[in-house]
Structure formats: structure tokens, C-alpha cells
Amino acid sequence: MTNNKTCGSDPLSPALSTNDAFASHAAGVQGSAPNAAEVCEANAAAQAVAHASGVFLKELHELGELGELYALFDRVWRPDPTKPPITREFLRVLALTGNYVVGAYRHGELVGAAVGLLGAPVGRTLHSHLVAVVPSARGQHIGLALKLHQRAWAIKRGIDAVTWTFDPLQRRNAAFNITRLGARAVEYLPNFYGPMDDGINGTDDSDRLLVCWPVGLSAHLDTETVAERDYVIALGRSDDDGPRIGDTDARLLLVAVPPDIEALRGRSPAMASAWRKALREVLGGLLAEGAHVSGFDRAGWYLIERTGQ
């Protein structure tokens, strides 16, 4: 059981200073105080995963810390030097104005980070813009610790939901966001950032899937598999592992993604581009028609359901 001292403060971060006025303003706009029990539960969940991952999470404000954060993002994305994902100066502004700028430290080394900004409607939404973990620390639940901390941070401020975008071709991210966290797909965004030309996205269009995570939901694991219901393949894999569009008119549909799009972009940019175009046509088209993503199967399929049929 969590004690009152832990419930009364954020156990993963030092007390807020400059950010207090902005956080209070956001909560005031919403017009409702956060539920103390929900804040306590969210803090405890985040603290447990952070402890198990061996990291300490803290909000970053100082230029030196923000310089480390910029270097981490540069290391992970390996961008064109003229197109950094974010600058140290803008990180400084975000931290000053009460937005979410958090680092994950292990033995004094920054190994992960997340950056978000308050979005519309004012005081109700946090948009998570960047989350990254260094390659040597992946697979150790640091990303989950950051997302749960983000959830606790939002609940503490009376925020209802966290939104973010991700590459819908990234199988591990789709599984984490949709299945593990329970985020809801909202919209398919073609070429959202334009060509990015970095070590993850390559030179192809930067299609993104916008998701919304109501922070009142605890993270969960959906164990449904495609074998449990009668699905029709709307986008499958051909014999050469390329995309193959099938029947898109059924009520329950499967939409495949390749096992490792980053490796495919390095090995065969043309094949990776073909997958991106097919996914845009099928998944983007289905969402535009009003279908929704009901899950992501462990074998690499989006589970799509048409409503009203």
C-alpha cells in the first residue's frame, strides 16, 4: 500500500518550481481538481516500473541537462544535421512554460527521455512529441516507465488524455501503444513531417498514426489473437514479403505490417516504400471511412472493425 507521504508528492521527480504556475493555470482552465486516489495510483504504478527498470526519472530544466537530452535524441534518430528533431533552445522554452521534459537516468547516465507539450483543448490534453531510449537500454521497460510517468504527470494536473503520433509501420511501437497501453487510433496522417532523412525514417514519406490515451485507463495487455474471431485479410504479405491488398469490405479486417521496417528501409527502400503506400491506402482509407482499430495482434496485424454493420 502506498503511504500518504508518497501520495502527496511525485516520487519520481523533485518538487516543481517554475512550472507550478503553469500547471495550476492548466488545472484551473479545466475547472476540476485531480482525484487524489487516482494520482496516488498513477504515481505508484510509474514508480514501480521505473524501479524495476533501474532508472530514476526527473524533470529537466537546466541548460546542461537539456544539452544531454538534445544529444540523446541526436544519437537515437541520427538526423540530417540541418533537421534536428528538436533544439536545446526550444527544450529550454518548453521546460520554462510548464511542459513535459523528463529524462531517465541510470547510474547518472541519461538513457531515455520524453518531451511533450500542452495542447488543445487548453488544460485537457498533453501531446507527447518525442520519446527515446538509447539502443543499449532498449527492451528493459524504460519506455513504459516514461509513459507511466507521463500519465501520472498528466493526472496530477487534471489533464484527461495524452496524444502522440507514431510510424504505423513500426510493429513494436504499434504493439506497445495499442496493445500494451491501450491508446486509441484517431487518424492516419499522410507524410506528416515531410521527408525526414534520418537513421530511422529513411528518405520516404513520414506517415503517422495519431493516437489518444485517456489517462484514466491503467496500462493493460490485450491477449486477443486473430484466431479467436473471423477476420478477413485487408492487407497481407505476398510470397516475397511485400504488401498484398485483399478484401477491405468485411466487418472484421486484418492489416499487416512488415516484421522490421527499419531493417527493410536499409535493405530495400523500394519495398519499404511499397509497404508505406499500401498501408496508407488500406489503413488510412479504413479509418477515413469510420472503421476503428480494435487491437494489434502479436503476429503483426492491426485488428480493424467496421461499426454499424
Side-chain angles (χ1 to χ4, degrees):
M1 180 177 293
T2 309
N3 59 39
N4 289 335
K5 183 176 180 181
T6 301
C7 291
S9 61
D10 185 343
L12 303 180
S13 306
L16 298 181
S17 54
T18 308
N19 289 2
D20 278 341
F22 296 100
S24 299
H25 173 69
V29 171
Q30 183 178 349
S32 62
N35 180 280
E38 195 172 16
V39 171
C40 182
E41 180 276 330
N43 277 338
Q47 185 179 32
V49 175
H51 179 75
S53 301
V55 296
F56 171 73
L57 306 183
K58 61 172 291 190
E59 294 191 52
L60 308 181
H61 303 277
E62 303 302 322
L63 281 174
E65 298 172 329
L66 298 175
E68 292 179 3
L69 181 51
Y70 171 83
L72 181 145
F73 288 144
D74 187 73
R75 177 182 173 188
V76 169
W77 270 280
R78 308 183 303 281
D80 177 332
T82 66
K83 299 179 181 179
I86 201 164
T87 65
R88 186 186 68 162
E89 292 76 14
F90 189 53
L91 287 169
R92 179 78 153 170
V93 172
L94 290 176
L96 173 68
T97 52
N99 292 283
Y100 186 89
V101 183
V102 168
Y105 288 85
R106 177 182 284 165
H107 307 306
E109 178 188 2
L110 185 66
V111 295
V115 173
L117 54 156
L118 298 170
V122 177
R124 303 291 296 274
T125 304
L126 172 70
H127 183 75
S128 179
H129 178 48
L130 296 168
V131 177
V133 176
V134 298
S136 61
R138 289 176 186 166
Q140 300 170 33
H141 304 297
I142 296 172
L144 178 60
L146 284 165
K147 294 308 291 185
L148 292 181
H149 182 274
Q150 208 168 60
R151 172 178 177 256
W153 188 96
I155 290 173
K156 183 176 180 180
R157 289 156 178 77
I159 291 170
D160 296 331
V162 181
T163 63
W164 63 91
T165 65
F166 73 95
D167 182 349
L169 285 166
Q170 288 275 10
R171 181 187 289 194
R172 68 176 182 272
N173 287 350
F176 178 75
N177 293 330
I178 294 171
T179 302
R180 184 68 182 91
L181 295 180
R184 302 166 182 171
V186 175
E187 185 179 2
Y188 192 98
L189 303 169
N191 201 22
F192 183 62
Y193 293 109
M196 301 179 73
D197 194 16
D198 61 30
I200 293 177
N201 298 282
T203 58
D204 198 14
D205 286 358
S206 56
D207 288 19
R208 292 294 182 265
L209 190 61
L210 174 65
V211 296
C212 178
W213 188 30
V215 295
L217 295 176
S218 297
H220 71 284
L221 181 62
D222 185 349
T223 58
E224 180 184 46
T225 63
V226 297
E228 295 170 1
R229 302 179 72 183
D230 295 325
Y231 286 90
V232 173
I233 295 177
L235 178 62
R237 304 176 187 93
S238 62
D239 293 339
D240 63 353
D241 291 328
R244 180 169 59 191
I245 297 176
D247 180 7
T248 62
D249 293 328
R251 188 177 73 85
L252 298 175
L253 298 164
L254 297 176
V255 174
V257 294
D260 187 341
I261 188 61
E262 286 183 39
L264 184 60
R265 283 172 177 149
R267 184 175 67 250
S268 177
M271 179 74 80
S273 181
W275 269 105
R276 194 262 310 154
K277 292 174 182 176
L279 191 67
R280 178 189 291 184
E281 177 182 343
V282 176
L283 181 59
L286 289 169
L287 292 179
E289 292 172 10
H292 71 273
V293 176
S294 59
F296 190 86
D297 181 76
R298 60 176 67 94
W301 303 90
Y302 285 97
L303 280 56
I304 308 296
E305 186 167 350
R306 291 180 180 276
T307 57
Q309 291 189 13

